[in-house]
Amino acid sequence: MAHSITSKHRHGSFPAFDLEGREAPETLADLNRMISAAKPFVHGGIKAVLGEGPIGAPLALVGEQPGDQEDLQGHPFVGPAGRLLDKALNAAGIERSETYVTNAVKHFKYEQRGKRRLHQKPTVGEVKHYRWWLMKELEFVHPHLVVALGATAAMALAGAPVTIGRARGPAQFGEFRGYITVHPSSLLRQADDQSREIAYAAFVRDLRNASELAAP
Ligand code: URA
């Protein structure tokens, strides 16, 4: 059964985005140009990492924000979490090239420590700020099902805070059918091999379930 994470109105309980006199985008390419030209709302990356994949994809996967490698390479999920995501997609029988992959926050938020750029979790306000872009992007992509990878993505999609432990599984994000699962980086943080294997198997199961729900 789908958890009812319905928003109070179309864009959730978060306030509507102000286009500040700009024309509303008519295509995904228009929207992407606007995102790329917008000033970052988080401290760190200055270059937006855009979503990738086919319009009308059965599945859209939404992560938190680009990380160090994504910022350097300009593509979503190409670092350690991306490699794990690829492996899990493969195990679930899902072709990444047929899937749309994006993030709730479009810039890498980090703190510089010496030579290292340390990932910083986006605040609720930052997620709210980027939400309009995400929902607009999904309107253009029009996937059959949207998968939230982790709590930040789930909050962005639901328009309200979500506890993964309670909400994991089918969901409804406003007009989009959805599915909530963990973020692949949570698998990397498991304490030992056994818990990592269990968490990985559950993640693959979620991706397979989501893919079945997305089938026409
Ligand atoms: N983590 C995310 O949430 N997104 C990425 O693109 C990479 C890591």
Side-chain angles (χ1 to χ4, degrees), residues 25-89:
E26 287 184 2
T27 64
L28 183 58
D30 279 352
L31 179 75
N32 281 340
R33 269 191 292 278
M34 286 174 73
I35 298 176
S36 298
K39 226 169 116 212
F41 196 70
V42 291
H43 181 267
I46 49 169
K47 198 174 61 212
V49 175
L50 303 172
E52 289 180 351
I55 301 253
L59 284 180
L61 306 180
V62 181
E64 181 194 73
Q65 62 168 339
D68 182 62
Q69 280 306 311
E70 289 75 19
D71 181 60
L72 292 173
Q73 299 182 40
H75 301 287
F77 279 106
V78 288
R83 282 194 288 281
L84 197 49
L85 175 63
D86 286 350
K87 184 173 159 204
L89 285 171

Short mmCIF file of all heavy atoms in Angstrom, two decimals, residues 25-89:
data_model
loop_
_atom_site.label_atom_id
_atom_site.label_comp_id
_atom_site.label_asym_id
_atom_site.label_seq_id
_atom_site.Cartn_x
_atom_site.Cartn_y
_atom_site.Cartn_z
N PRO A 25 9.93 28.04 -17.74
CA PRO A 25 10.55 27.20 -18.77
C PRO A 25 9.51 26.35 -19.51
O PRO A 25 8.56 25.88 -18.90
CB PRO A 25 11.50 26.30 -17.97
CG PRO A 25 10.93 26.29 -16.60
CD PRO A 25 10.28 27.62 -16.38
N GLU A 26 9.72 26.19 -20.80
CA GLU A 26 8.75 25.40 -21.59
C GLU A 26 9.25 24.00 -21.89
O GLU A 26 8.49 23.15 -22.32
CB GLU A 26 8.44 26.13 -22.90
CG GLU A 26 7.58 27.34 -22.63
CD GLU A 26 7.16 28.07 -23.88
OE1 GLU A 26 7.51 27.62 -24.98
OE2 GLU A 26 6.49 29.10 -23.71
N THR A 27 10.55 23.79 -21.73
CA THR A 27 11.13 22.47 -21.99
C THR A 27 12.16 22.16 -20.91
O THR A 27 12.60 23.06 -20.18
CB THR A 27 11.88 22.44 -23.35
OG1 THR A 27 12.99 23.35 -23.25
CG2 THR A 27 10.99 22.83 -24.51
N LEU A 28 12.57 20.90 -20.87
CA LEU A 28 13.61 20.50 -19.92
C LEU A 28 14.92 21.23 -20.23
O LEU A 28 15.64 21.65 -19.32
CB LEU A 28 13.81 18.98 -19.98
CG LEU A 28 14.82 18.38 -19.00
CD1 LEU A 28 14.45 18.69 -17.55
CD2 LEU A 28 14.93 16.86 -19.19
N ALA A 29 15.19 21.43 -21.50
CA ALA A 29 16.42 22.15 -21.88
C ALA A 29 16.37 23.58 -21.37
O ALA A 29 17.37 24.11 -20.86
CB ALA A 29 16.59 22.11 -23.40
N ASP A 30 15.20 24.23 -21.47
CA ASP A 30 15.03 25.60 -20.93
C ASP A 30 15.31 25.61 -19.43
O ASP A 30 16.00 26.47 -18.90
CB ASP A 30 13.56 26.06 -21.03
CG ASP A 30 13.19 26.57 -22.40
OD1 ASP A 30 14.10 26.73 -23.23
OD2 ASP A 30 11.98 26.79 -22.62
N LEU A 31 14.69 24.63 -18.76
CA LEU A 31 14.83 24.53 -17.31
C LEU A 31 16.30 24.33 -16.94
O LEU A 31 16.83 24.98 -16.04
CB LEU A 31 13.99 23.37 -16.77
CG LEU A 31 14.09 23.17 -15.26
CD1 LEU A 31 13.29 24.24 -14.52
CD2 LEU A 31 13.58 21.80 -14.84
N ASN A 32 16.97 23.44 -17.66
CA ASN A 32 18.37 23.16 -17.37
C ASN A 32 19.24 24.41 -17.56
O ASN A 32 20.17 24.65 -16.80
CB ASN A 32 18.88 22.00 -18.22
CG ASN A 32 18.44 20.66 -17.64
OD1 ASN A 32 18.10 20.58 -16.45
ND2 ASN A 32 18.43 19.63 -18.44
N ARG A 33 18.90 25.20 -18.58
CA ARG A 33 19.64 26.46 -18.78
C ARG A 33 19.43 27.38 -17.58
O ARG A 33 20.36 28.02 -17.12
CB ARG A 33 19.18 27.15 -20.07
CG ARG A 33 19.99 26.73 -21.30
CD ARG A 33 19.69 27.61 -22.50
NE ARG A 33 18.34 27.43 -23.01
CZ ARG A 33 17.96 26.45 -23.83
NH1 ARG A 33 18.86 25.59 -24.28
NH2 ARG A 33 16.72 26.35 -24.24
N MET A 34 18.19 27.41 -17.09
CA MET A 34 17.90 28.29 -15.93
C MET A 34 18.66 27.80 -14.69
O MET A 34 19.22 28.60 -13.94
CB MET A 34 16.39 28.28 -15.64
CG MET A 34 15.59 29.07 -16.64
SD MET A 34 13.81 28.88 -16.35
CE MET A 34 13.58 29.86 -14.89
N ILE A 35 18.66 26.48 -14.49
CA ILE A 35 19.36 25.94 -13.31
C ILE A 35 20.85 26.26 -13.42
O ILE A 35 21.48 26.69 -12.45
CB ILE A 35 19.17 24.41 -13.17
CG1 ILE A 35 17.69 24.05 -12.99
CG2 ILE A 35 20.00 23.85 -12.04
CD1 ILE A 35 17.38 22.56 -12.95
N SER A 36 21.41 26.07 -14.60
CA SER A 36 22.86 26.29 -14.78
C SER A 36 23.22 27.77 -14.58
O SER A 36 24.33 28.08 -14.14
CB SER A 36 23.30 25.86 -16.18
OG SER A 36 23.05 24.49 -16.33
N ALA A 37 22.28 28.66 -14.91
CA ALA A 37 22.58 30.10 -14.79
C ALA A 37 22.30 30.61 -13.38
O ALA A 37 22.76 31.71 -13.02
CB ALA A 37 21.73 30.87 -15.80
N ALA A 38 21.56 29.84 -12.58
CA ALA A 38 21.17 30.32 -11.24
C ALA A 38 22.37 30.29 -10.28
O ALA A 38 23.24 29.43 -10.39
CB ALA A 38 20.04 29.46 -10.69
N LYS A 39 22.35 31.23 -9.34
CA LYS A 39 23.41 31.27 -8.32
C LYS A 39 23.23 30.08 -7.37
O LYS A 39 22.10 29.81 -6.95
CB LYS A 39 23.26 32.57 -7.53
CG LYS A 39 24.57 33.30 -7.35
CD LYS A 39 24.33 34.67 -6.81
CE LYS A 39 24.97 34.68 -5.46
NZ LYS A 39 24.47 35.44 -4.43
N PRO A 40 24.32 29.38 -7.01
CA PRO A 40 24.16 28.27 -6.05
C PRO A 40 23.55 28.77 -4.75
O PRO A 40 23.85 29.88 -4.32
CB PRO A 40 25.58 27.78 -5.82
CG PRO A 40 26.38 28.31 -6.94
CD PRO A 40 25.71 29.57 -7.42
N PHE A 41 22.69 27.96 -4.14
CA PHE A 41 22.07 28.35 -2.88
C PHE A 41 22.75 27.67 -1.70
O PHE A 41 22.34 27.80 -0.57
CB PHE A 41 20.57 28.01 -2.94
CG PHE A 41 19.76 28.70 -1.89
CD1 PHE A 41 19.54 30.07 -1.96
CD2 PHE A 41 19.22 27.98 -0.84
CE1 PHE A 41 18.81 30.72 -0.98
CE2 PHE A 41 18.47 28.62 0.15
CZ PHE A 41 18.27 29.98 0.07
N VAL A 42 23.78 26.86 -1.99
CA VAL A 42 24.55 26.22 -0.92
C VAL A 42 25.99 26.67 -1.04
O VAL A 42 26.43 27.13 -2.10
CB VAL A 42 24.49 24.68 -1.00
CG1 VAL A 42 23.09 24.17 -0.68
CG2 VAL A 42 24.94 24.17 -2.35
N HIS A 43 26.74 26.52 0.05
CA HIS A 43 28.14 26.91 0.04
C HIS A 43 28.97 25.79 -0.58
O HIS A 43 28.93 24.67 -0.11
CB HIS A 43 28.61 27.17 1.47
CG HIS A 43 30.03 27.61 1.53
ND1 HIS A 43 31.06 26.72 1.73
CD2 HIS A 43 30.58 28.82 1.35
CE1 HIS A 43 32.19 27.39 1.69
NE2 HIS A 43 31.93 28.65 1.47
N GLY A 44 29.67 26.07 -1.66
CA GLY A 44 30.51 25.04 -2.26
C GLY A 44 30.49 25.15 -3.76
O GLY A 44 30.86 26.18 -4.31
N GLY A 45 30.03 24.05 -4.39
CA GLY A 45 30.08 23.95 -5.86
C GLY A 45 29.39 25.11 -6.55
O GLY A 45 28.35 25.58 -6.09
N ILE A 46 29.97 25.55 -7.64
CA ILE A 46 29.38 26.67 -8.37
C ILE A 46 28.73 26.22 -9.67
O ILE A 46 28.03 26.97 -10.32
CB ILE A 46 30.43 27.77 -8.66
CG1 ILE A 46 31.68 27.15 -9.27
CG2 ILE A 46 30.77 28.56 -7.43
CD1 ILE A 46 32.65 28.15 -9.83
N LYS A 47 29.00 24.96 -10.03
CA LYS A 47 28.49 24.44 -11.30
C LYS A 47 27.35 23.46 -10.99
O LYS A 47 27.55 22.53 -10.22
CB LYS A 47 29.64 23.69 -11.97
CG LYS A 47 29.50 23.43 -13.43
CD LYS A 47 30.79 22.80 -13.95
CE LYS A 47 31.07 21.49 -13.28
NZ LYS A 47 32.33 21.00 -13.02
N ALA A 48 26.18 23.71 -11.57
CA ALA A 48 25.06 22.79 -11.30
C ALA A 48 25.31 21.45 -11.97
O ALA A 48 25.82 21.40 -13.09
CB ALA A 48 23.76 23.39 -11.84
N VAL A 49 24.95 20.38 -11.26
CA VAL A 49 25.00 19.04 -11.88
C VAL A 49 23.55 18.69 -12.23
O VAL A 49 22.69 18.59 -11.35
CB VAL A 49 25.61 18.00 -10.91
CG1 VAL A 49 25.54 16.60 -11.51
CG2 VAL A 49 27.05 18.37 -10.59
N LEU A 50 23.28 18.56 -13.52
CA LEU A 50 21.92 18.39 -14.00
C LEU A 50 21.52 16.91 -14.03
O LEU A 50 22.38 16.03 -14.05
CB LEU A 50 21.80 18.97 -15.42
CG LEU A 50 22.20 20.44 -15.55
CD1 LEU A 50 22.25 20.85 -17.01
CD2 LEU A 50 21.25 21.34 -14.76
N GLY A 51 20.21 16.68 -14.07
CA GLY A 51 19.71 15.32 -14.21
C GLY A 51 20.05 14.77 -15.59
O GLY A 51 20.26 15.54 -16.53
N GLU A 52 20.08 13.44 -15.68
CA GLU A 52 20.41 12.79 -16.96
C GLU A 52 19.52 11.58 -17.19
O GLU A 52 19.22 10.86 -16.25
CB GLU A 52 21.87 12.30 -16.95
CG GLU A 52 22.87 13.42 -16.99
CD GLU A 52 24.31 12.93 -16.96
OE1 GLU A 52 24.55 11.73 -16.74
OE2 GLU A 52 25.19 13.78 -17.16
N GLY A 53 19.17 11.37 -18.45
CA GLY A 53 18.38 10.18 -18.79
C GLY A 53 17.25 10.55 -19.73
O GLY A 53 17.02 11.72 -20.00
N PRO A 54 16.55 9.52 -20.23
CA PRO A 54 15.51 9.80 -21.23
C PRO A 54 14.23 10.39 -20.65
O PRO A 54 13.82 10.04 -19.54
CB PRO A 54 15.24 8.42 -21.84
CG PRO A 54 15.76 7.43 -20.85
CD PRO A 54 16.78 8.10 -19.99
N ILE A 55 13.60 11.25 -21.42
CA ILE A 55 12.25 11.75 -21.10
C ILE A 55 11.31 10.55 -21.19
O ILE A 55 11.46 9.71 -22.07
CB ILE A 55 11.82 12.81 -22.14
CG1 ILE A 55 12.80 13.98 -22.17
CG2 ILE A 55 10.37 13.23 -21.97
CD1 ILE A 55 12.33 15.26 -21.59
N GLY A 56 10.38 10.46 -20.25
CA GLY A 56 9.42 9.34 -20.26
C GLY A 56 10.02 8.05 -19.72
O GLY A 56 9.43 6.98 -19.90
N ALA A 57 11.17 8.14 -19.05
CA ALA A 57 11.80 6.94 -18.47
C ALA A 57 10.82 6.28 -17.50
O ALA A 57 10.10 6.98 -16.79
CB ALA A 57 13.07 7.33 -17.73
N PRO A 58 10.81 4.96 -17.44
CA PRO A 58 9.92 4.32 -16.45
C PRO A 58 10.24 4.77 -15.02
O PRO A 58 9.36 5.07 -14.24
CB PRO A 58 10.20 2.82 -16.62
CG PRO A 58 10.84 2.68 -17.96
CD PRO A 58 11.52 3.98 -18.27
N LEU A 59 11.55 4.87 -14.72
CA LEU A 59 11.95 5.23 -13.36
C LEU A 59 12.77 6.51 -13.36
O LEU A 59 13.65 6.68 -14.20
CB LEU A 59 12.88 4.15 -12.77
CG LEU A 59 12.30 2.84 -12.28
CD1 LEU A 59 13.42 1.95 -11.76
CD2 LEU A 59 11.27 3.09 -11.18
N ALA A 60 12.49 7.40 -12.41
CA ALA A 60 13.39 8.52 -12.14
C ALA A 60 13.95 8.28 -10.75
O ALA A 60 13.18 8.02 -9.81
CB ALA A 60 12.64 9.85 -12.19
N LEU A 61 15.26 8.32 -10.61
CA LEU A 61 15.92 8.14 -9.31
C LEU A 61 16.37 9.51 -8.82
O LEU A 61 17.07 10.22 -9.56
CB LEU A 61 17.13 7.23 -9.43
CG LEU A 61 16.93 5.85 -10.06
CD1 LEU A 61 18.26 5.09 -10.10
CD2 LEU A 61 15.90 5.05 -9.27
N VAL A 62 16.02 9.85 -7.59
CA VAL A 62 16.39 11.17 -7.05
C VAL A 62 17.30 10.98 -5.84
O VAL A 62 16.91 10.34 -4.86
CB VAL A 62 15.13 11.98 -6.65
CG1 VAL A 62 15.53 13.34 -6.11
CG2 VAL A 62 14.18 12.12 -7.84
N GLY A 63 18.52 11.52 -5.92
CA GLY A 63 19.46 11.47 -4.81
C GLY A 63 19.43 12.77 -4.02
O GLY A 63 18.53 13.60 -4.20
N GLU A 64 20.42 12.94 -3.15
CA GLU A 64 20.45 14.14 -2.30
C GLU A 64 21.04 15.34 -3.03
O GLU A 64 20.38 16.34 -3.28
CB GLU A 64 21.27 13.83 -1.04
CG GLU A 64 21.35 14.98 -0.08
CD GLU A 64 22.42 14.77 0.98
OE1 GLU A 64 23.62 14.87 0.66
OE2 GLU A 64 22.04 14.48 2.14
N GLN A 65 22.32 15.22 -3.35
CA GLN A 65 23.04 16.32 -4.00
C GLN A 65 24.30 15.73 -4.63
O GLN A 65 24.76 14.66 -4.21
CB GLN A 65 23.44 17.38 -2.98
CG GLN A 65 24.39 16.86 -1.92
CD GLN A 65 25.02 17.97 -1.08
OE1 GLN A 65 25.07 19.12 -1.47
NE2 GLN A 65 25.51 17.60 0.09
N PRO A 66 24.88 16.40 -5.63
CA PRO A 66 26.14 15.88 -6.18
C PRO A 66 27.22 15.87 -5.11
O PRO A 66 27.20 16.70 -4.20
CB PRO A 66 26.47 16.87 -7.30
CG PRO A 66 25.56 18.04 -7.13
CD PRO A 66 24.43 17.64 -6.25
N GLY A 67 28.15 14.93 -5.23
CA GLY A 67 29.29 14.88 -4.32
C GLY A 67 30.54 15.40 -5.04
O GLY A 67 30.44 16.00 -6.12
N ASP A 68 31.67 15.11 -4.46
CA ASP A 68 32.95 15.62 -4.99
C ASP A 68 33.16 15.20 -6.46
O ASP A 68 33.42 16.03 -7.33
CB ASP A 68 34.07 15.07 -4.11
CG ASP A 68 35.43 15.58 -4.54
OD1 ASP A 68 35.64 16.80 -4.50
OD2 ASP A 68 36.27 14.77 -4.96
N GLN A 69 33.02 13.91 -6.74
CA GLN A 69 33.26 13.41 -8.10
C GLN A 69 32.22 13.93 -9.08
O GLN A 69 32.53 14.25 -10.23
CB GLN A 69 33.25 11.87 -8.10
CG GLN A 69 34.54 11.27 -7.63
CD GLN A 69 35.75 11.81 -8.41
OE1 GLN A 69 35.76 11.85 -9.63
NE2 GLN A 69 36.75 12.28 -7.69
N GLU A 70 30.97 14.02 -8.62
CA GLU A 70 29.90 14.50 -9.49
C GLU A 70 30.16 15.96 -9.87
O GLU A 70 29.98 16.36 -11.02
CB GLU A 70 28.53 14.39 -8.78
CG GLU A 70 28.03 12.96 -8.62
CD GLU A 70 28.72 12.15 -7.54
OE1 GLU A 70 29.36 12.77 -6.66
OE2 GLU A 70 28.64 10.91 -7.57
N ASP A 71 30.63 16.73 -8.88
CA ASP A 71 30.93 18.15 -9.14
C ASP A 71 32.09 18.26 -10.13
O ASP A 71 32.06 19.08 -11.06
CB ASP A 71 31.28 18.83 -7.81
CG ASP A 71 31.59 20.31 -7.99
OD1 ASP A 71 30.71 21.04 -8.46
OD2 ASP A 71 32.73 20.72 -7.69
N LEU A 72 33.11 17.41 -9.95
CA LEU A 72 34.28 17.47 -10.85
C LEU A 72 33.92 17.00 -12.26
O LEU A 72 34.36 17.59 -13.25
CB LEU A 72 35.42 16.60 -10.30
CG LEU A 72 36.07 17.10 -9.01
CD1 LEU A 72 37.05 16.07 -8.47
CD2 LEU A 72 36.78 18.43 -9.26
N GLN A 73 33.13 15.93 -12.34
CA GLN A 73 32.83 15.34 -13.66
C GLN A 73 31.58 15.91 -14.31
O GLN A 73 31.34 15.70 -15.50
CB GLN A 73 32.70 13.81 -13.54
CG GLN A 73 33.98 13.14 -13.04
CD GLN A 73 33.82 11.62 -12.98
OE1 GLN A 73 33.22 11.01 -13.85
NE2 GLN A 73 34.35 11.02 -11.93
N GLY A 74 30.73 16.57 -13.51
CA GLY A 74 29.52 17.20 -14.07
C GLY A 74 28.40 16.23 -14.38
O GLY A 74 27.52 16.56 -15.19
N HIS A 75 28.40 15.06 -13.72
CA HIS A 75 27.32 14.08 -13.94
C HIS A 75 26.86 13.53 -12.58
O HIS A 75 27.68 13.39 -11.67
CB HIS A 75 27.81 12.91 -14.79
CG HIS A 75 28.31 13.34 -16.14
ND1 HIS A 75 27.47 13.75 -17.14
CD2 HIS A 75 29.58 13.46 -16.61
CE1 HIS A 75 28.20 14.09 -18.20
NE2 HIS A 75 29.47 13.93 -17.91
N PRO A 76 25.55 13.19 -12.46
CA PRO A 76 25.08 12.66 -11.18
C PRO A 76 25.52 11.21 -10.93
O PRO A 76 25.66 10.43 -11.89
CB PRO A 76 23.54 12.73 -11.33
CG PRO A 76 23.28 12.65 -12.79
CD PRO A 76 24.48 13.29 -13.47
N PHE A 77 25.74 10.90 -9.69
CA PHE A 77 26.05 9.52 -9.25
C PHE A 77 27.16 8.85 -10.07
O PHE A 77 26.95 7.81 -10.69
CB PHE A 77 24.76 8.66 -9.28
CG PHE A 77 23.90 8.87 -8.06
CD1 PHE A 77 22.72 9.60 -8.15
CD2 PHE A 77 24.27 8.38 -6.82
CE1 PHE A 77 21.93 9.81 -7.02
CE2 PHE A 77 23.50 8.59 -5.68
CZ PHE A 77 22.32 9.30 -5.79
N VAL A 78 28.34 9.47 -10.05
CA VAL A 78 29.50 8.86 -10.72
C VAL A 78 30.64 8.57 -9.73
O VAL A 78 31.69 8.08 -10.13
CB VAL A 78 30.02 9.75 -11.89
CG1 VAL A 78 29.06 9.72 -13.06
CG2 VAL A 78 30.31 11.17 -11.42
N GLY A 79 30.43 8.89 -8.43
CA GLY A 79 31.45 8.62 -7.41
C GLY A 79 31.19 7.28 -6.73
O GLY A 79 30.52 6.41 -7.31
N PRO A 80 31.68 7.09 -5.50
CA PRO A 80 31.52 5.81 -4.79
C PRO A 80 30.05 5.39 -4.63
O PRO A 80 29.70 4.22 -4.86
CB PRO A 80 32.18 6.06 -3.43
CG PRO A 80 33.10 7.21 -3.65
CD PRO A 80 32.52 8.04 -4.76
N ALA A 81 29.17 6.33 -4.25
CA ALA A 81 27.74 5.98 -4.09
C ALA A 81 27.15 5.62 -5.46
O ALA A 81 26.31 4.71 -5.56
CB ALA A 81 26.97 7.14 -3.48
N GLY A 82 27.61 6.28 -6.50
CA GLY A 82 27.12 5.99 -7.85
C GLY A 82 27.53 4.60 -8.32
O GLY A 82 26.74 3.89 -8.96
N ARG A 83 28.75 4.20 -7.95
CA ARG A 83 29.21 2.87 -8.35
C ARG A 83 28.36 1.79 -7.66
O ARG A 83 28.00 0.79 -8.26
CB ARG A 83 30.70 2.69 -8.04
CG ARG A 83 31.58 3.39 -9.07
CD ARG A 83 33.02 2.94 -8.96
NE ARG A 83 33.67 3.47 -7.77
CZ ARG A 83 34.14 4.71 -7.64
NH1 ARG A 83 34.05 5.56 -8.65
NH2 ARG A 83 34.71 5.11 -6.53
N LEU A 84 28.04 2.05 -6.40
CA LEU A 84 27.20 1.10 -5.67
C LEU A 84 25.77 1.09 -6.25
O LEU A 84 25.14 0.03 -6.38
CB LEU A 84 27.19 1.49 -4.19
CG LEU A 84 26.72 0.45 -3.21
CD1 LEU A 84 27.40 -0.89 -3.42
CD2 LEU A 84 26.98 0.93 -1.79
N LEU A 85 25.30 2.26 -6.61
CA LEU A 85 23.98 2.35 -7.23
C LEU A 85 23.96 1.56 -8.55
O LEU A 85 23.04 0.79 -8.81
CB LEU A 85 23.61 3.82 -7.48
CG LEU A 85 22.30 4.07 -8.23
CD1 LEU A 85 21.10 3.56 -7.42
CD2 LEU A 85 22.12 5.56 -8.54
N ASP A 86 25.01 1.71 -9.35
CA ASP A 86 25.09 0.99 -10.63
C ASP A 86 25.05 -0.52 -10.40
O ASP A 86 24.39 -1.26 -11.12
CB ASP A 86 26.38 1.34 -11.37
CG ASP A 86 26.33 2.74 -11.97
OD1 ASP A 86 25.24 3.34 -11.98
OD2 ASP A 86 27.38 3.24 -12.42
N LYS A 87 25.81 -0.97 -9.39
CA LYS A 87 25.87 -2.40 -9.09
C LYS A 87 24.48 -2.91 -8.67
O LYS A 87 24.02 -3.96 -9.14
CB LYS A 87 26.89 -2.61 -7.95
CG LYS A 87 27.13 -4.03 -7.60
CD LYS A 87 28.28 -4.14 -6.59
CE LYS A 87 28.16 -5.47 -5.87
NZ LYS A 87 28.79 -5.51 -4.58
N ALA A 88 23.80 -2.13 -7.82
CA ALA A 88 22.47 -2.54 -7.35
C ALA A 88 21.45 -2.50 -8.49
O ALA A 88 20.59 -3.39 -8.59
CB ALA A 88 22.03 -1.63 -6.20
N LEU A 89 21.55 -1.50 -9.36
CA LEU A 89 20.63 -1.44 -10.51
C LEU A 89 20.81 -2.67 -11.38
O LEU A 89 19.85 -3.30 -11.82
CB LEU A 89 20.89 -0.17 -11.35
CG LEU A 89 20.41 1.15 -10.74
CD1 LEU A 89 20.93 2.33 -11.56
CD2 LEU A 89 18.88 1.22 -10.66
#
